[in-house]
Amino acid sequence: MNQQATTGQAFRATLKRDLIIAYKRKNDLVNPFMFFLIVATLFPIGISPGPDRLGEIAAGVLWISALLASLLAMDNLYRSDYEDGSLEQLLLSPHPLYFLVLAKNISHWLVSGLPVVLVSPLIAYMLNLPDAAYAALFITLLLGTPVLSLLGSIGVALTVGLGSRGLILAVITLPLSVPVLIAGTLTVQETLNGASLGGYLAIMGAMLLAALTLAPLASSAALRISVN
Amino acid sequence: MVAVETESGLAETSRLTMLNGESLFCERDDRVLFENLDFSLREGQVLQIKGSNGSGKTTLLRILCGLNDSYEGKIFWYGDPIEEKVEQYYSSLIYIGHRVGVNKVLTPVENLRWSCSLQQQVADEEIYAALAKVGLRGFEESQCFTLSAGQQQRVSLAKLLLSHAKLWVLDEPFTTLDASGVKQLEGWLRDHADKGGAVMVTTHHSLSVTDLQMLDLG
């Protein structure tokens, strides 16, 4: 009577479930976004409101704010599932854990990463980013923030079973994120210096593809260890 | 330390052994939970695991489900080592642990839609029917944090009605249920076993099923 669900169906069901949960817990939806806005607006106040000065640091400010916002949202990724036992059900699925973890990571990025990417041109305008760099900034964030989510997922999966996490998540995740940060800001900088975008974007695209193929495997293995 | 006794020995030889373990050994914090533990579970059988608190009942169930790999010994699914049949095994298994796997923000329907879809396709009408059977008619669209612990347990038990899994692994499923719920669940265990399924359950409750086997962890 009932058919076995395909991996695609399990993937979609997991993605949909996580999006519904995020929609119902409005905090998860709004917090990273607000955090990004606040951090980005503090820089002009703290450093200098001078347009030239701001223009120079704008790309770095936006990238660091995006990185911190993604880190802030990370902890939610598996914690409630771990606490209520849903994670065990996920691990007991006959489908490859890779796809289910990937679904959770995609949902997480849609909720915490995408809004930040979409609002970034506005903040860039506020920070007086030179016109020539807008496209580069937007595209690098679009390629880079999913990498941050995917890498962060490994850290969360490793620490989800620990009682007091504190800074350990940041200690694990931030070193992994540094190459993405460097590539992202460098791309924007070099575009301003007149370099062509192609090569740099290829590097970021390669990072994204590598993270997409490898990070969920690492997260899956880490989840199995944490539940053990 | 380990005593296995069968309460009825009639004509089960025709039934296949679904799950069996050989010389299982598990140690936690330098304390041996069980050693040289052998058990076998045939189709149509209910295996009740007994033992005092901390004797390793939950650990044993988690080992059998592959959620814990700090053990020695071998586990077989229809005669094949379990590692070789993971996909098939997980398609035939339902595990309900202490943490019942019900997200508190979601409604019972949304919870079941997800947890069932990990194994099989389920239509919404079936989910509503199952929820009515477990006594949650009228709560289908309430968020689960508004439900009591017993009701949340019932949400997870509704999965037993929806799934076609052959093997049910239940960890203390009776604890939060009221008297009528206990009776109902017992009936489901009996029906499931009579249809050729198998159940592994930890409970201190005395079960009335046709083919009951005891495993005492001391």
Side-chain angles (χ1 to χ4, degrees), chain A residues 25-50:
Chain A
R25 277 201 304 231
K26 298 280 192 301
N27 273 354
D28 290 4
L29 208 59
V30 177
N31 275 354
F33 180 69
M34 287 305 290
F35 184 81
F36 173 75
L37 290 184
I38 291 168
V39 172
T41 42
L42 282 179
F43 276 93
I45 300 171
I47 296 173
S48 147

PDB file of all heavy atoms in Angstrom, chain A residues 25-50:
ATOM      1  N   ARG A  25       9.661  29.897  14.574  1.00  0.00           N
ATOM      2  CA  ARG A  25      10.502  30.547  15.589  1.00  0.00           C
ATOM      3  C   ARG A  25      11.077  31.802  14.967  1.00  0.00           C
ATOM      4  O   ARG A  25      12.188  31.796  14.459  1.00  0.00           O
ATOM      5  CB  ARG A  25      11.622  29.596  16.011  1.00  0.00           C
ATOM      6  CG  ARG A  25      11.216  28.601  17.058  1.00  0.00           C
ATOM      7  CD  ARG A  25      12.425  28.064  17.774  1.00  0.00           C
ATOM      8  NE  ARG A  25      13.374  27.485  16.855  1.00  0.00           N
ATOM      9  CZ  ARG A  25      13.894  26.267  16.980  1.00  0.00           C
ATOM     10  NH1 ARG A  25      13.554  25.530  17.987  1.00  0.00           N
ATOM     11  NH2 ARG A  25      14.755  25.808  16.108  1.00  0.00           N
ATOM     12  N   LYS A  26      10.338  32.873  15.051  1.00  0.00           N
ATOM     13  CA  LYS A  26      10.715  34.105  14.348  1.00  0.00           C
ATOM     14  C   LYS A  26      12.107  34.610  14.744  1.00  0.00           C
ATOM     15  O   LYS A  26      12.803  35.212  13.952  1.00  0.00           O
ATOM     16  CB  LYS A  26       9.680  35.195  14.619  1.00  0.00           C
ATOM     17  CG  LYS A  26       8.282  34.866  14.120  1.00  0.00           C
ATOM     18  CD  LYS A  26       8.146  35.115  12.636  1.00  0.00           C
ATOM     19  CE  LYS A  26       6.704  35.085  12.176  1.00  0.00           C
ATOM     20  NZ  LYS A  26       6.011  33.808  12.434  1.00  0.00           N
ATOM     21  N   ASN A  27      12.497  34.322  16.003  1.00  0.00           N
ATOM     22  CA  ASN A  27      13.811  34.775  16.474  1.00  0.00           C
ATOM     23  C   ASN A  27      14.925  34.290  15.564  1.00  0.00           C
ATOM     24  O   ASN A  27      15.837  35.035  15.221  1.00  0.00           O
ATOM     25  CB  ASN A  27      14.085  34.204  17.870  1.00  0.00           C
ATOM     26  CG  ASN A  27      13.513  35.087  18.930  1.00  0.00           C
ATOM     27  OD1 ASN A  27      13.009  36.173  18.616  1.00  0.00           O
ATOM     28  ND2 ASN A  27      13.561  34.639  20.162  1.00  0.00           N
ATOM     29  N   ASP A  28      14.821  33.003  15.190  1.00  0.00           N
ATOM     30  CA  ASP A  28      15.859  32.418  14.345  1.00  0.00           C
ATOM     31  C   ASP A  28      15.958  33.155  13.025  1.00  0.00           C
ATOM     32  O   ASP A  28      17.013  33.251  12.421  1.00  0.00           O
ATOM     33  CB  ASP A  28      15.532  30.944  14.046  1.00  0.00           C
ATOM     34  CG  ASP A  28      15.687  30.091  15.269  1.00  0.00           C
ATOM     35  OD1 ASP A  28      15.966  30.672  16.339  1.00  0.00           O
ATOM     36  OD2 ASP A  28      15.522  28.874  15.162  1.00  0.00           O
ATOM     37  N   LEU A  29      14.807  33.636  12.604  1.00  0.00           N
ATOM     38  CA  LEU A  29      14.738  34.281  11.303  1.00  0.00           C
ATOM     39  C   LEU A  29      15.327  35.690  11.368  1.00  0.00           C
ATOM     40  O   LEU A  29      16.058  36.124  10.481  1.00  0.00           O
ATOM     41  CB  LEU A  29      13.261  34.344  10.902  1.00  0.00           C
ATOM     42  CG  LEU A  29      12.896  34.360   9.439  1.00  0.00           C
ATOM     43  CD1 LEU A  29      13.435  33.120   8.765  1.00  0.00           C
ATOM     44  CD2 LEU A  29      11.382  34.411   9.299  1.00  0.00           C
ATOM     45  N   VAL A  30      15.015  36.393  12.439  1.00  0.00           N
ATOM     46  CA  VAL A  30      15.348  37.816  12.524  1.00  0.00           C
ATOM     47  C   VAL A  30      16.722  38.072  13.143  1.00  0.00           C
ATOM     48  O   VAL A  30      17.444  38.961  12.713  1.00  0.00           O
ATOM     49  CB  VAL A  30      14.253  38.560  13.330  1.00  0.00           C
ATOM     50  CG1 VAL A  30      14.602  40.015  13.493  1.00  0.00           C
ATOM     51  CG2 VAL A  30      12.911  38.407  12.640  1.00  0.00           C
ATOM     52  N   ASN A  31      17.115  37.222  14.140  1.00  0.00           N
ATOM     53  CA  ASN A  31      18.340  37.487  14.888  1.00  0.00           C
ATOM     54  C   ASN A  31      19.596  37.687  14.040  1.00  0.00           C
ATOM     55  O   ASN A  31      20.263  38.709  14.184  1.00  0.00           O
ATOM     56  CB  ASN A  31      18.591  36.381  15.914  1.00  0.00           C
ATOM     57  CG  ASN A  31      17.851  36.652  17.201  1.00  0.00           C
ATOM     58  OD1 ASN A  31      17.243  37.716  17.354  1.00  0.00           O
ATOM     59  ND2 ASN A  31      17.869  35.715  18.124  1.00  0.00           N
ATOM     60  N   PRO A  32      19.940  36.743  13.168  1.00  0.00           N
ATOM     61  CA  PRO A  32      21.190  36.915  12.427  1.00  0.00           C
ATOM     62  C   PRO A  32      21.167  38.160  11.547  1.00  0.00           C
ATOM     63  O   PRO A  32      22.174  38.863  11.417  1.00  0.00           O
ATOM     64  CB  PRO A  32      21.301  35.650  11.571  1.00  0.00           C
ATOM     65  CG  PRO A  32      20.051  34.909  11.729  1.00  0.00           C
ATOM     66  CD  PRO A  32      19.280  35.478  12.864  1.00  0.00           C
ATOM     67  N   PHE A  33      20.015  38.415  10.997  1.00  0.00           N
ATOM     68  CA  PHE A  33      19.847  39.558  10.113  1.00  0.00           C
ATOM     69  C   PHE A  33      20.047  40.873  10.872  1.00  0.00           C
ATOM     70  O   PHE A  33      20.815  41.760  10.460  1.00  0.00           O
ATOM     71  CB  PHE A  33      18.443  39.474   9.508  1.00  0.00           C
ATOM     72  CG  PHE A  33      18.105  40.569   8.570  1.00  0.00           C
ATOM     73  CD1 PHE A  33      18.728  40.650   7.338  1.00  0.00           C
ATOM     74  CD2 PHE A  33      17.153  41.516   8.902  1.00  0.00           C
ATOM     75  CE1 PHE A  33      18.408  41.655   6.461  1.00  0.00           C
ATOM     76  CE2 PHE A  33      16.826  42.530   8.032  1.00  0.00           C
ATOM     77  CZ  PHE A  33      17.465  42.596   6.809  1.00  0.00           C
ATOM     78  N   MET A  34      19.389  40.983  12.035  1.00  0.00           N
ATOM     79  CA  MET A  34      19.529  42.180  12.862  1.00  0.00           C
ATOM     80  C   MET A  34      20.971  42.336  13.339  1.00  0.00           C
ATOM     81  O   MET A  34      21.526  43.432  13.357  1.00  0.00           O
ATOM     82  CB  MET A  34      18.596  42.095  14.090  1.00  0.00           C
ATOM     83  CG  MET A  34      17.139  42.296  13.790  1.00  0.00           C
ATOM     84  SD  MET A  34      16.828  43.830  12.923  1.00  0.00           S
ATOM     85  CE  MET A  34      17.162  45.012  14.215  1.00  0.00           C
ATOM     86  N   PHE A  35      21.569  41.212  13.716  1.00  0.00           N
ATOM     87  CA  PHE A  35      22.948  41.239  14.186  1.00  0.00           C
ATOM     88  C   PHE A  35      23.869  41.797  13.105  1.00  0.00           C
ATOM     89  O   PHE A  35      24.729  42.636  13.368  1.00  0.00           O
ATOM     90  CB  PHE A  35      23.357  39.820  14.578  1.00  0.00           C
ATOM     91  CG  PHE A  35      24.730  39.726  15.175  1.00  0.00           C
ATOM     92  CD1 PHE A  35      24.950  40.027  16.506  1.00  0.00           C
ATOM     93  CD2 PHE A  35      25.813  39.331  14.400  1.00  0.00           C
ATOM     94  CE1 PHE A  35      26.209  39.940  17.053  1.00  0.00           C
ATOM     95  CE2 PHE A  35      27.078  39.244  14.943  1.00  0.00           C
ATOM     96  CZ  PHE A  35      27.276  39.548  16.268  1.00  0.00           C
ATOM     97  N   PHE A  36      23.641  41.354  11.889  1.00  0.00           N
ATOM     98  CA  PHE A  36      24.431  41.821  10.753  1.00  0.00           C
ATOM     99  C   PHE A  36      24.287  43.337  10.591  1.00  0.00           C
ATOM    100  O   PHE A  36      25.282  44.064  10.459  1.00  0.00           O
ATOM    101  CB  PHE A  36      23.949  41.094   9.488  1.00  0.00           C
ATOM    102  CG  PHE A  36      24.568  41.588   8.212  1.00  0.00           C
ATOM    103  CD1 PHE A  36      25.882  41.267   7.892  1.00  0.00           C
ATOM    104  CD2 PHE A  36      23.843  42.365   7.323  1.00  0.00           C
ATOM    105  CE1 PHE A  36      26.453  41.700   6.714  1.00  0.00           C
ATOM    106  CE2 PHE A  36      24.410  42.811   6.144  1.00  0.00           C
ATOM    107  CZ  PHE A  36      25.714  42.484   5.838  1.00  0.00           C
ATOM    108  N   LEU A  37      23.062  43.821  10.651  1.00  0.00           N
ATOM    109  CA  LEU A  37      22.818  45.260  10.512  1.00  0.00           C
ATOM    110  C   LEU A  37      23.518  46.041  11.612  1.00  0.00           C
ATOM    111  O   LEU A  37      24.171  47.063  11.358  1.00  0.00           O
ATOM    112  CB  LEU A  37      21.313  45.553  10.562  1.00  0.00           C
ATOM    113  CG  LEU A  37      20.472  45.111   9.372  1.00  0.00           C
ATOM    114  CD1 LEU A  37      19.030  45.578   9.554  1.00  0.00           C
ATOM    115  CD2 LEU A  37      21.044  45.665   8.082  1.00  0.00           C
ATOM    116  N   ILE A  38      23.393  45.528  12.852  1.00  0.00           N
ATOM    117  CA  ILE A  38      23.953  46.262  13.992  1.00  0.00           C
ATOM    118  C   ILE A  38      25.479  46.334  13.903  1.00  0.00           C
ATOM    119  O   ILE A  38      26.076  47.404  14.017  1.00  0.00           O
ATOM    120  CB  ILE A  38      23.525  45.593  15.321  1.00  0.00           C
ATOM    121  CG1 ILE A  38      22.024  45.799  15.535  1.00  0.00           C
ATOM    122  CG2 ILE A  38      24.304  46.174  16.500  1.00  0.00           C
ATOM    123  CD1 ILE A  38      21.425  44.958  16.628  1.00  0.00           C
ATOM    124  N   VAL A  39      26.113  45.169  13.660  1.00  0.00           N
ATOM    125  CA  VAL A  39      27.578  45.151  13.593  1.00  0.00           C
ATOM    126  C   VAL A  39      28.055  46.083  12.479  1.00  0.00           C
ATOM    127  O   VAL A  39      28.969  46.892  12.667  1.00  0.00           O
ATOM    128  CB  VAL A  39      28.099  43.718  13.368  1.00  0.00           C
ATOM    129  CG1 VAL A  39      29.600  43.727  13.113  1.00  0.00           C
ATOM    130  CG2 VAL A  39      27.783  42.856  14.562  1.00  0.00           C
ATOM    131  N   ALA A  40      27.395  45.989  11.309  1.00  0.00           N
ATOM    132  CA  ALA A  40      27.843  46.795  10.170  1.00  0.00           C
ATOM    133  C   ALA A  40      27.669  48.289  10.442  1.00  0.00           C
ATOM    134  O   ALA A  40      28.483  49.100  10.003  1.00  0.00           O
ATOM    135  CB  ALA A  40      27.077  46.386   8.913  1.00  0.00           C
ATOM    136  N   THR A  41      26.644  48.669  11.187  1.00  0.00           N
ATOM    137  CA  THR A  41      26.438  50.096  11.440  1.00  0.00           C
ATOM    138  C   THR A  41      27.343  50.624  12.553  1.00  0.00           C
ATOM    139  O   THR A  41      27.542  51.830  12.680  1.00  0.00           O
ATOM    140  CB  THR A  41      24.978  50.405  11.831  1.00  0.00           C
ATOM    141  OG1 THR A  41      24.530  49.390  12.722  1.00  0.00           O
ATOM    142  CG2 THR A  41      24.072  50.470  10.631  1.00  0.00           C
ATOM    143  N   LEU A  42      27.905  49.698  13.374  1.00  0.00           N
ATOM    144  CA  LEU A  42      28.772  50.163  14.458  1.00  0.00           C
ATOM    145  C   LEU A  42      30.132  50.623  13.942  1.00  0.00           C
ATOM    146  O   LEU A  42      30.777  51.463  14.552  1.00  0.00           O
ATOM    147  CB  LEU A  42      28.968  49.056  15.502  1.00  0.00           C
ATOM    148  CG  LEU A  42      27.800  48.850  16.466  1.00  0.00           C
ATOM    149  CD1 LEU A  42      28.103  47.713  17.423  1.00  0.00           C
ATOM    150  CD2 LEU A  42      27.506  50.124  17.255  1.00  0.00           C
ATOM    151  N   PHE A  43      30.560  50.054  12.823  1.00  0.00           N
ATOM    152  CA  PHE A  43      31.888  50.402  12.307  1.00  0.00           C
ATOM    153  C   PHE A  43      32.045  51.895  11.996  1.00  0.00           C
ATOM    154  O   PHE A  43      33.027  52.505  12.433  1.00  0.00           O
ATOM    155  CB  PHE A  43      32.223  49.550  11.086  1.00  0.00           C
ATOM    156  CG  PHE A  43      32.794  48.216  11.447  1.00  0.00           C
ATOM    157  CD1 PHE A  43      31.985  47.108  11.572  1.00  0.00           C
ATOM    158  CD2 PHE A  43      34.159  48.070  11.694  1.00  0.00           C
ATOM    159  CE1 PHE A  43      32.510  45.875  11.919  1.00  0.00           C
ATOM    160  CE2 PHE A  43      34.696  46.834  12.038  1.00  0.00           C
ATOM    161  CZ  PHE A  43      33.862  45.735  12.154  1.00  0.00           C
ATOM    162  N   PRO A  44      31.118  52.500  11.267  1.00  0.00           N
ATOM    163  CA  PRO A  44      31.262  53.942  10.986  1.00  0.00           C
ATOM    164  C   PRO A  44      31.305  54.754  12.277  1.00  0.00           C
ATOM    165  O   PRO A  44      32.052  55.741  12.384  1.00  0.00           O
ATOM    166  CB  PRO A  44      30.004  54.291  10.193  1.00  0.00           C
ATOM    167  CG  PRO A  44      29.443  53.016   9.728  1.00  0.00           C
ATOM    168  CD  PRO A  44      29.936  51.941  10.627  1.00  0.00           C
ATOM    169  N   ILE A  45      30.532  54.333  13.274  1.00  0.00           N
ATOM    170  CA  ILE A  45      30.515  55.072  14.537  1.00  0.00           C
ATOM    171  C   ILE A  45      31.859  54.915  15.237  1.00  0.00           C
ATOM    172  O   ILE A  45      32.422  55.873  15.768  1.00  0.00           O
ATOM    173  CB  ILE A  45      29.371  54.558  15.449  1.00  0.00           C
ATOM    174  CG1 ILE A  45      28.025  54.759  14.752  1.00  0.00           C
ATOM    175  CG2 ILE A  45      29.389  55.274  16.794  1.00  0.00           C
ATOM    176  CD1 ILE A  45      26.856  54.111  15.450  1.00  0.00           C
ATOM    177  N   GLY A  46      32.385  53.706  15.233  1.00  0.00           N
ATOM    178  CA  GLY A  46      33.625  53.423  15.958  1.00  0.00           C
ATOM    179  C   GLY A  46      34.864  53.920  15.248  1.00  0.00           C
ATOM    180  O   GLY A  46      35.827  54.340  15.894  1.00  0.00           O
ATOM    181  N   ILE A  47      34.902  53.872  13.940  1.00  0.00           N
ATOM    182  CA  ILE A  47      36.135  54.208  13.231  1.00  0.00           C
ATOM    183  C   ILE A  47      36.126  55.660  12.751  1.00  0.00           C
ATOM    184  O   ILE A  47      36.824  56.505  13.291  1.00  0.00           O
ATOM    185  CB  ILE A  47      36.382  53.224  12.066  1.00  0.00           C
ATOM    186  CG1 ILE A  47      36.608  51.830  12.658  1.00  0.00           C
ATOM    187  CG2 ILE A  47      37.585  53.644  11.239  1.00  0.00           C
ATOM    188  CD1 ILE A  47      36.694  50.729  11.670  1.00  0.00           C
ATOM    189  N   SER A  48      35.314  55.910  11.758  1.00  0.00           N
ATOM    190  CA  SER A  48      35.244  57.283  11.276  1.00  0.00           C
ATOM    191  C   SER A  48      34.099  57.364  10.298  1.00  0.00           C
ATOM    192  O   SER A  48      33.908  56.452   9.495  1.00  0.00           O
ATOM    193  CB  SER A  48      36.556  57.656  10.570  1.00  0.00           C
ATOM    194  OG  SER A  48      36.286  58.565   9.522  1.00  0.00           O
ATOM    195  N   PRO A  49      33.315  58.388  10.347  1.00  0.00           N
ATOM    196  CA  PRO A  49      32.225  58.497   9.376  1.00  0.00           C
ATOM    197  C   PRO A  49      32.695  59.088   8.047  1.00  0.00           C
ATOM    198  O   PRO A  49      31.896  59.245   7.129  1.00  0.00           O
ATOM    199  CB  PRO A  49      31.228  59.433  10.080  1.00  0.00           C
ATOM    200  CG  PRO A  49      32.047  60.220  11.031  1.00  0.00           C
ATOM    201  CD  PRO A  49      33.291  59.458  11.350  1.00  0.00           C
ATOM    202  N   GLY A  50      33.993  59.375   7.921  1.00  0.00           N
ATOM    203  CA  GLY A  50      34.510  59.959   6.680  1.00  0.00           C
ATOM    204  C   GLY A  50      34.298  59.023   5.505  1.00  0.00           C
ATOM    205  O   GLY A  50      34.681  57.856   5.589  1.00  0.00           O
TER     206      GLY A  50
END
